[in-house]
Amino acid sequence: MSKEERIHFDPENLRQFTFRVFAHFGIPEPDALLATDVLAYSDEHGIDSHGIARLKTYVDLLQVGKINPRPELKLIREKHAVATVDGDNGLGLVIGPKCMEMAIAKARLHGQGSISVCHTNHYGAAGYYPLMAVKQDFIGMSMTNTTKGVAPFNGIEKMLGTNPLAMGFPTGKEPVVLMDFASSTVAYGKLEIAHRAGEKVPLGWCLDERGQPTELPERMMNGGALLPLGSTREGSGHKGYCLGGMVDIMSAVLSGANWGPYAIPFAIDSPQSAKQVGKGIGHFFGAWDVEGFRDLAAFKQEMDEWIRTLRATAHLPDNPSVKIPGDPEWAAYKIRMKEGIPLQVPVVKDLEGISASLGIPLH
């Protein structure tokens, strides 16, 4: 977390404000509640880059009609455990949960379910969706392509999005294992946080407009590019490139969405590619019934043992002990639900602007 000033807000008050903002644009109450829950999940679990800090962009896009507030999902194609859905240009925060539910329903019927989605928009934190499956004792997965911002390995031009993916695994007595990460070295939102705080970022995160490594987030934001996970040849940046490409293909090429540099920008002032190769951006959701592989109770017991074994790993001196994927989120949740959500001052100013323009109290 950045060391700059933060203002704490009651989590429930932020949820109520977010809901009222979405409802203001004619989004039906059940959908507004879904969208609110996805955004709140991020803030409540310490994922500041994907929470209410994104609300202004959603508002901007809704105000100019670039997002459909009342989408009607259309089943384009279906074959047993797999299907493709057209999201009708709706909020990804609404389309995502509905399509994840479809994947879970297919997993109940067939043992596994996979849903590809086109004609949708930014869906928030990827980790929200696997947890929907985990609550049903299934393994869950989600991924999405995003606005171009990442240079391919050995490239200096933006061609792929940060293209995150996430998987969640049910456990017994131990906390859920949740793996949620971007295929770039860092999520774009992390640069936004640093930029708002006036801070530099580590070398290896991004390039400037000349294709040179930079510590200044604004240099990347103004004509530069993020690097794939691993950054350099020595850091195995080609592996991050492969991950980003995999997500792009599974989310967009497979579903009929815009892929690579043609992905729809998630910003009101970002120019859209004149060439369109599909509809909107794409997501991919998967769910697997553990019982189709082995006894659920035995799997969860083994997962607990897996967690305890890794936690007991010898670690570097003067460093924290080994954590399990998901640990930072669960720890943040305990703190933030007690102490409140710490928002950066520029984010608060954005929310105050939304409050004033829409006549919706923030506090």
Side-chain angles (χ1 to χ4, degrees):
M1 181 185 294
S2 175
K3 296 179 180 179
E4 98 289 2
E5 180 185 359
R6 300 237 175 177
I7 300 173
H8 287 71
F9 284 78
D10 177 73
E12 185 56 34
N13 286 349
L14 284 184
R15 279 180 174 263
Q16 291 177 10
F17 177 73
T18 303
F19 168 77
R20 294 182 66 186
V21 168
F22 284 134
H24 173 87
F25 290 99
I27 296 173
E29 182 175 333
D31 289 356
L33 286 170
L34 270 181
T36 297
D37 195 52
V38 179
L39 279 192
Y41 162 83
S42 293
D43 289 313
E44 292 168 4
H45 290 82
I47 311 167
D48 296 331
S49 56
H50 286 66
I52 203 166
R54 296 289 190 195
L55 187 60
K56 184 179 185 302
T57 303
Y58 290 115
V59 168
D60 289 342
L61 295 171
L62 285 163
Q63 283 179 325
V64 298
K66 287 193 173 183
I67 291 179
N68 181 1
R70 293 178 172 270
E72 294 183 11
L73 276 66
K74 179 182 178 182
L75 192 63
I76 300 175
R77 192 180 185 98
E78 184 176 28
K79 187 174 183 180
H80 307 304
V82 304
T84 298
V85 172
D86 184 317
D88 196 23
N89 196 34
L91 273 171
L93 306 173
V94 173
I95 305 303
K98 291 183 177 181
C99 289
M100 188 70 215
E101 285 289 359
M102 292 176 64
I104 293 169
K106 284 189 173 293
R108 289 196 191 98
L109 184 62
H110 300 289
Q112 63 180 11
S114 299
I115 305 294
S116 67
V117 192
C118 68
H119 207 189
T120 178
N121 292 279
H122 190 273
Y123 79 165
Y128 178 89
Y129 303 98
L131 293 178
M132 293 175 61
V134 170
K135 289 176 183 176
Q136 307 296 319
D137 278 333
F138 293 167
I139 295 169
M141 178 181 70
S142 87
M143 58 181 75
T144 183
N145 76 323
T146 64
T147 310
K148 67 176 183 178
V150 182
F153 183 62
N154 281 341
I156 61 173
E157 180 184 3
K158 297 175 184 176
M159 294 296 284
L160 292 171
T162 55
N163 295 4
L165 59 155
M167 290 194 73
F169 301 87
T171 53
K173 296 180 180 179
E174 297 292 339
V176 170
V177 173
L178 177 65
M179 301 164 179
D180 178 0
F181 56 97
S183 56
S184 52
T185 297
V186 68
Y188 181 75
K190 295 290 179 64
L191 270 84
E192 291 181 312
I193 290 172
H195 178 63
R196 286 193 292 261
E199 296 178 346
K200 293 182 178 180
V201 298
L203 284 174
W205 278 19
C206 54
L207 305 174
D208 65 17
E209 68 282 358
R210 298 172 299 164
Q212 298 300 310
T214 181
E215 297 176 306
L216 303 175
E218 57 271 18
R219 295 293 295 273
M220 177 271 151
M221 298 166 76
N222 295 312
L226 290 169
L227 288 166
L229 187 62
S231 302
T232 63
R233 182 177 299 277
E234 294 74 20
S236 297
H238 61 285
K239 296 180 182 179
Y241 173 39
C242 289
L243 274 173
M246 178 188 74
V247 173
D248 203 42
I249 293 168
M250 293 295 291
S251 299
V253 179
L254 187 64
S255 70
N258 287 293
W259 44 263
Y262 310 115
I264 303 298
F266 179 61
I268 192 68
D269 55 355
S270 294
Q272 182 173 314
S273 170
K275 180 178 179 179
Q276 295 291 282
V277 294
K279 292 182 175 180
I281 64 166
H283 315 315
F284 185 89
F285 302 99
W288 293 268
D289 186 346
V290 174
E291 288 280 5
F293 299 96
R294 67 179 298 187
D295 178 75
L296 175 63
F299 174 80
K300 293 169 82 169
Q301 182 177 355
E302 200 82 12
M303 282 298 301
D304 284 353
E305 182 65 17
W306 185 89
I307 291 168
R308 292 164 188 152
T309 300
L310 290 182
R311 283 197 200 284
T313 304
H315 58 89
L316 293 169
D318 302 321
N319 279 267
S321 59
V322 172
K323 294 189 181 337
I324 301 302
D327 279 355
E329 287 88 340
W330 316 143
Y333 182 79
K334 289 181 180 179
I335 294 171
R336 292 185 171 203
M337 296 307 288
K338 180 179 180 180
E339 299 180 1
I341 309 297
L343 299 181
Q344 291 181 297
V345 172
V347 173
V348 176
K349 289 182 178 178
D350 282 344
L351 298 183
E352 289 173 343
I354 294 171
S355 174
S357 64
L358 302 184
I360 299 173
L362 177 57
H363 300 284

